[in-house]
Structures are given as C-alpha cells and as structure tokens.
Amino acid sequence: MKRESKTQYALLGILSQCEMNGYEIRKYIESTISFFWSESFGQIYPTLSKLEEEGLIREWEKTDVSGKKKKVYKITRPGLETFRRWMDESPIQSNKRNELLFKVFFGRHMNPKLLTQQLEEEIRKQKEDLKSLKSFQKELDADWDKHPDLEYWSLTLEYAEKQTKLNLDWIEKVKSKIKT
C-alpha cells in the first residue's frame, strides 16, 4: 500500500508561519524541524507548483530591505483551511522505519567492528543533534518568548531532547554488548 505524501501539508504548515521561497523553506526545515521532519529540494519545488495550481498558495514578488526583489510563496485562505482540516482529521502516523534498530536487530550478520564504528558515528551525530536542540531552545527563549506557538515548539524540542538522550544511552549499551 502506497503511503500518502505529507510534503504538501508540511509546506502549507511552514507557509502558515511566514511567506518564503523554496530555498528559504529548505533552510527553515534544516534550522527548526529537521530533528523530526525532512524534505528535499526535489520534493519542495514540485509540491510548491502543485499547491499553486490548486490555489492553496500563491507566488508573489517581494522586495526585501535592501531593495532586492524575490519571489516568495504565501498561503491562501483555502490553503490554510486545507492545512487545518488535515491537522484536525488526519490520524498521527509515526514513522516506523529506523535503520539503527534494523542494523542492531540483524547485527549478527554484520562485522562487529563495522557495527561498532557505525554506532560510534551515530553517537557523534546524536551529540551534535543535542547541541543543536539546546541552541535552538535558547534562541526560542531569547527571541520568540512572545510567539503564540512557543509552548508547542518548546514541547516538541523537549521530546526531541529526551529522545536523543535515550538514544545515546541505548547506543552506548548496545556498543558495550558487542564482542569485537
């Protein structure tokens, strides 16, 4: 059974916050929600075109503070209604694919030294993610303390931080059990 793409809803949600172009959307994802959501340029641009054709967003030219003109996308009223309807009606579907767990589950079939190296690399990435999450929370507290979404953003960051710490502890345990 083919899974429905959620890219359109991700873009509508992002554009409900602020108007942006495709590049800015990708940067927004990288700097805010990348710990639980990703979209490639190959997903973003075709989806923006489709959303515009459907009248859910519109492209317009904006002049920035330096006087430079750029094209950005803005969510329309029907786009916001579509996004809110999806938020209200679509059941939560957690991603079930996890390559880390897959490799540990079938770890007997892997060179133990290579598995240990990959786990060490994952530990490095998780520690990097933890630093980024803490930095983002500081930014939210300092610059966005009056934003109506702050509580939701903070709760999401709290989850990501706890999950990352849990992952780190578990990976260390797995690593200690591997006989190299």
Side-chain angles (χ1 to χ4, degrees):
M1 184 166 137
K2 187 178 176 191
R3 290 185 292 168
E4 175 192 23
S5 171
K6 306 292 194 271
T7 300
Q8 62 185 342
Y9 303 113
L11 299 184
L12 289 172
I14 291 165
L15 291 173
S16 75
Q17 306 251 311
C18 177
E19 59 220 20
M20 296 180 217
N21 62 33
Y23 177 79
E24 291 167 330
I25 289 170
R26 178 78 170 112
K27 288 298 172 195
Y28 176 91
I29 291 169
E30 287 175 3
S31 67
T32 59
I33 62 175
S34 63
F35 59 92
F36 66 88
W37 199 272
S38 68
E39 298 290 348
S40 69
F41 285 120
Q43 295 165 302
I44 292 171
Y45 287 107
T47 304
L48 287 171
S49 293
K50 180 179 172 251
L51 292 171
E52 187 175 24
E53 285 174 19
E54 294 173 359
L56 302 177
I57 63 172
R58 69 178 177 88
E59 184 183 58
W60 66 291
E61 204 170 79
K62 178 180 177 180
T63 306
D64 66 17
V65 291
S66 67
K68 185 179 174 191
K69 293 183 182 206
K70 67 178 181 177
K71 294 189 180 209
V72 294
Y73 293 93
K74 181 177 184 164
I75 195 166
T76 61
R77 188 175 315 260
L80 189 56
E81 290 168 4
T82 298
F83 176 65
R84 287 181 173 160
R85 187 171 43 257
W86 177 80
M87 290 287 289
D88 287 344
E89 296 173 1
S90 178
I92 295 172
Q93 296 177 2
S94 298
N95 184 356
K96 298 291 183 192
R97 296 178 78 133
N98 184 319
E99 193 171 327
L100 169 65
L101 293 178
F102 187 88
K103 285 203 171 187
V104 171
F105 188 84
F106 292 106
R108 175 176 66 88
H109 300 284
M110 192 171 178
N111 177 318
K113 286 184 181 182
L114 288 176
L115 179 56
T116 300
Q117 287 173 355
Q118 288 185 11
L119 291 171
E120 287 170 354
E121 176 60 19
E122 187 60 27
I123 288 169
R124 187 194 64 72
K125 288 182 200 170
Q126 295 278 332
K127 286 180 177 178
E128 203 174 278
D129 288 348
L130 202 53
K131 282 183 192 174
S132 295
L133 291 167
K134 289 180 181 194
S135 173
F136 187 45
Q137 185 63 58
K138 284 181 185 174
E139 180 185 329
L140 285 179
D141 293 341
D143 300 336
W144 299 92
D145 62 324
K146 302 283 188 235
H147 196 283
D149 290 329
L150 178 63
E151 184 175 2
Y152 296 102
W153 294 343
S154 294
L155 288 168
T156 308
L157 283 173
E158 178 186 351
Y159 171 86
E161 185 176 338
K162 286 182 178 192
Q163 185 66 49
T164 304
K165 288 177 180 177
L166 177 78
N167 290 346
L168 281 167
D169 289 345
W170 182 79
I171 295 167
E172 289 288 358
K173 178 181 177 180
V174 171
K175 207 173 93 174
S176 74
K177 304 263 184 194
I178 297 172
K179 296 179 181 32
T180 54

